[in-house]
Amino acid sequence: MSSPEITGLIDVSTSVDDAIGDGLAAAASAGVRVRGLHELADLDAVYRLYDSIWRPDPMNPPITTELLRALTKAGNYVSGAFDGDELIGACVGFFSPPLERAMHSHVAGVSGAARGRSVGFALKLHQRAWALQRGVEAISWTFDPLIRRNAYFNVTKLAARPTEYLTNFYGFMQDGINGGDDSDRLLVRWQLDAPDVGAAAARRPAVTAVDRLPRATVALGFADDGGPSTSPALGARDGTVLVGVPADVEKLRQTDPGVAKSWRAALREVLGGLLADGARVTGFDRAGWYVLEQSVRQQSVRDDAEKGLA
């Protein structure tokens, strides 16, 4: 199995060597080969794969072959995960402004038949190695904060950290996944050389367990009918705060769209409000809880106010 491309490099740091090794190990574990894509036939295969995953409105596909061609010609990132000759996953990203030394990962997807094999993990680690080789320090992307498995993947398995709640970021999205819901997103930042990211890439992620946080405040929990239940003590945000999300919002959008929309509104208010007030997401429990901590600055201001110093 060949390593990610390292064209034009003279000195490769230990961190890049480690990133390449982690990417190869992840690909081997998933039973795939991940490589950069440039040829028109491969790019068209990415377009068709995404079309099969999202089943979008024909007038608004996730990405087009022509745009992929332009992105790769300009030196941006397009990769594919192959099981033999079959493309089963792909990831697309582009560079941020030069001074930021960053990239934005626009879209990634894995075929339904390949889910559960950690193909997405292999794609992201290939992207990390590719970016580090080119002097990129961080990668950002967005995801739907209501989808529990994506939150766990991004926050725990990859150790990316949410930085901003984006309300209806892409506008109305009528496809097989978003189901006509508002396109609220969490923007995350993946600091590629951070110790926790390196540990996660080596498959040693820091795992969050809510049952070990007895003093945490539940800001958004679960009502008996399956809908959201907000805490009347939402304003008390000192310390650890828990924000829940439903087990399968994609199914809920089909079976009970009203409840799904109520979850969207509640999460927007609670999680969006916490992040806007300076709280930071530190983990995600697989049972469906975002774990947040009040920022040091916010705690200091609150403490000063209590002491009459503010």
Side-chain angles (χ1 to χ4, degrees):
M1 185 180 297
S2 61
S3 65
E5 303 92 328
I6 52 175
T7 305
L9 293 178
I10 299 175
D11 296 318
V12 179
S13 69
T14 301
S15 63
V16 175
D17 284 339
D18 289 344
I20 292 172
D22 290 337
L24 291 173
S29 178
V32 296
R33 180 171 56 94
V34 182
R35 62 178 175 86
L37 304 180
H38 308 278
E39 299 299 325
L40 191 58
D42 285 338
L43 301 178
D44 192 55
V46 172
Y47 162 75
R48 287 185 277 106
L49 174 67
Y50 285 168
D51 193 67
S52 71
I53 294 170
W54 274 274
R55 305 183 304 281
D57 180 333
M59 298 299 293
N60 190 28
I63 203 160
T64 64
T65 303
E66 293 82 359
L67 181 55
L68 290 169
R69 185 70 154 172
L71 288 172
T72 58
K73 181 62 177 175
N76 291 286
Y77 179 82
V78 180
S79 72
F82 290 83
D83 186 348
D85 294 330
E86 181 185 3
L87 179 70
I88 61 173
C91 185
V92 179
F94 45 82
F95 290 108
S96 299
L99 294 180
E100 292 185 12
R101 300 175 67 86
M103 288 182 61
H104 184 78
S105 188
H106 175 56
V107 59
V110 175
S111 69
R115 285 186 182 173
R117 288 174 48 182
S118 295
V119 175
F121 186 64
L123 282 165
K124 294 305 292 185
L125 293 200
H126 180 279
Q127 186 182 47
R128 176 175 179 252
W130 187 96
L132 282 169
Q133 292 171 76
R134 289 157 177 80
V136 172
E137 297 175 354
I139 300 175
S140 64
W141 64 87
T142 64
F143 73 94
D144 185 342
L146 275 176
I147 299 180
R148 186 182 290 190
R149 68 175 185 278
N150 287 355
Y152 179 80
F153 176 75
N154 290 313
V155 177
T156 298
K157 283 199 72 173
L158 294 178
R161 289 293 170 257
T163 59
E164 187 178 359
Y165 191 98
L166 304 170
T167 299
N168 203 23
F169 184 59
Y170 294 109
F172 180 77
M173 298 180 73
Q174 183 62 54
D175 57 37
I177 292 179
N178 293 283
D181 194 5
D182 284 352
S183 59
D184 289 21
R185 294 294 183 264
L186 271 187
L187 178 68
V188 299
R189 179 180 175 89
W190 203 25
Q191 193 65 40
L192 302 182
D193 58 354
D196 57 341
V197 172
R203 288 178 282 190
R204 300 190 305 272
V207 177
T208 299
V210 166
D211 58 5
R212 299 176 187 172
L213 303 171
R215 297 185 179 181
T217 299
V218 176
L220 179 61
F222 307 91
D224 292 339
D225 64 357
S229 174
T230 56
S231 168
L234 184 59
R237 293 171 180 166
D238 292 348
T240 304
V241 180
L242 304 180
V243 176
V245 292
D248 189 348
V249 73
E250 292 164 299
K251 182 178 180 180
L252 201 57
R253 286 169 182 153
Q254 299 173 4
T255 60
D256 198 334
V259 172
K261 289 183 182 297
S262 69
W263 270 107
R264 175 69 80 203
L267 192 68
R268 179 184 295 173
E269 176 186 356
V270 177
L271 182 59
L274 284 163
L275 290 174
D277 283 350
R280 57 192 178 89
V281 176
T282 59
F284 187 86
D285 186 301
R286 200 161 202 164
W289 299 96
Y290 288 97
V291 179
L292 296 94
E293 297 292 339
Q294 183 178 340
S295 69
V296 174
R297 177 179 178 275
Q298 188 181 11
Q299 181 70 58
S300 177
V301 170
R302 195 181 296 271
D303 288 347
D304 287 346
E306 291 175 353
K307 295 174 184 177
L309 301 177

